[in-house]
Amino acid sequence: MAFIVFILQLVVRILSFPMYLLKFLGLWDWICKKWFPYFLVRFSVIYNEQMAGKKRELFSNLQDFVGPSGKLSLLEVGCGTGTNFKFYPPGCTVTCVDPNPNFEKFLFKSLAENRHLQFERFLVAAGENMHQVADSSVDVVVCTLVLCSVKNQEQILREVCRVLRPGGAFFFIEHVADEHSTWNYFWQQVLEPAWYLVFDGCNLTRESWKTLERASFSKLKLQHIQAPLSWVLVRPHIYGYAVK
């Protein structure tokens, strides 16, 4: 089976040669950074419709982690277009981090539609290096559909632990690799070389739950689900929260 996967991946790479050539020339990343926000605006609407129940369930206990100030301080890593804003409780202060500056105009449009939030700032930075955010300064960190594309999962979780106050929580929803015995995992492996390029560094076969289990959280509540999504390849999900 591994040999068949290798051959089919090779075919996918050959068919994707124009994209690989553009990447080699240094043009593909620029193209992705420009077009990906427009794709995500449309995808996020569909994703929110299909995952609304799970998001409401997950974010329903955000207020349990309000700090001594009495107001929830929330940092969203990989905020994208602000698709999670409508699920956050009224009055919470939100700081957004994303490495793609082209999300900014979409982010502010979402903020205008969600005036129940108090916006702090938008930082153009990778989650692995959020030096602009002070140690132990936020109550909650949120990360949805981000661990699939970061360069270093261990480092981003170390940064999450650094910025969280003691007793703060990290909330996550992530698509992950399917069980290895399934046909879906077979096709995740086959299509990943092209998927990675088209969707701005997204990996289909990451087992992100293992990284979360190794991180230095005092408590981890994590569930595996088959999300009710139209795209079969990204149906395998994990969601939950971890406490510092």
Side-chain angles (χ1 to χ4, degrees), residues 149-184:
S149 59
V150 298
K151 293 180 179 178
N152 188 322
Q153 289 186 331
E154 288 80 6
Q155 177 58 26
I156 195 172
L157 292 179
R158 281 194 291 270
E159 278 289 89
V160 166
C161 288
R162 180 185 65 79
V163 302
L164 277 174
R165 65 164 177 80
F170 173 56
F171 285 74
F172 56 88
I173 303 176
E174 298 291 337
H175 75 83
V176 293
D178 210 335
E179 294 183 16
H180 289 198
S181 60
T182 63
W183 278 108
N184 195 33

Side-chain angles (χ1 to χ4, degrees), residues 18-193:
M19 290 187 291
Y20 278 98
L21 179 60
L22 288 171
K23 186 171 180 64
F24 175 77
L25 295 173
L27 298 174
W28 185 252
D29 288 344
W30 179 85
I31 293 170
C32 272
K33 290 292 184 289
K34 288 289 185 181
W35 84 266
F36 195 61
Y38 291 93
F39 161 77
L40 204 58
V41 164
R42 300 194 176 198
F43 172 77
S44 296
V45 171
I46 300 169
Y47 186 85
N48 262 1
E49 288 175 355
Q50 297 175 338
M51 290 291 288
K54 292 299 181 185
K55 284 194 174 186
R56 289 193 189 96
E57 176 190 339
L58 177 64
F59 295 136
S60 64
N61 64 340
L62 283 173
Q63 290 282 29
D64 294 346
F65 296 96
V66 172
S69 69
K71 182 180 289 188
L72 185 70
S73 173
L74 185 150
L75 170 69
E76 182 162 357
V77 181
C79 57
T81 60
T83 186
N84 291 323
F85 289 169
K86 69 179 183 178
F87 299 101
Y88 296 157
C92 79
T93 61
V94 179
T95 297
C96 297
V97 174
D98 201 287
N100 188 347
N102 296 301
F103 277 120
E104 187 169 16
K105 67 177 181 181
F106 302 100
L107 185 69
F108 281 103
K109 182 177 183 296
S110 292
L111 285 166
E113 296 168 354
N114 291 278
R115 296 189 179 277
H116 64 288
L117 304 177
Q118 181 180 333
F119 180 65
E120 289 276 307
R121 52 180 174 159
F122 173 56
L123 302 173
V124 179
E128 295 94 331
N129 182 14
M130 300 184 288
H131 65 271
Q132 305 99 317
V133 184
D135 296 0
S136 304
S137 61
V138 297
D139 300 317
V140 167
V141 176
V142 173
C143 184
T144 60
L145 304 184
V146 172
L147 295 180
C148 59
S149 59
V150 298
K151 293 180 179 178
N152 188 322
Q153 289 186 331
E154 288 80 6
Q155 177 58 26
I156 195 172
L157 292 179
R158 281 194 291 270
E159 278 289 89
V160 166
C161 288
R162 180 185 65 79
V163 302
L164 277 174
R165 65 164 177 80
F170 173 56
F171 285 74
F172 56 88
I173 303 176
E174 298 291 337
H175 75 83
V176 293
D178 210 335
E179 294 183 16
H180 289 198
S181 60
T182 63
W183 278 108
N184 195 33
Y185 181 68
F186 173 84
W187 288 111
Q188 284 179 330
Q189 293 178 92
V190 169
L191 296 174
E192 186 159 72

Side-chain angles (χ1 to χ4, degrees), residues 194-206:
W195 186 279
Y196 179 85
L197 288 177
V198 173
F199 295 107
D200 198 20
C202 176
N203 295 271
L204 286 169
T205 59
R206 282 193 173 172

Side-chain angles (χ1 to χ4, degrees), residues 7-17 19-20 190-195:
I7 294 300
L8 291 175
Q9 281 183 336
L10 185 60
V11 172
V12 169
R13 290 180 190 277
I14 291 170
L15 293 174
S16 306
F17 176 75
M19 290 187 291
Y20 278 98
V190 169
L191 296 174
E192 186 159 72
W195 186 279

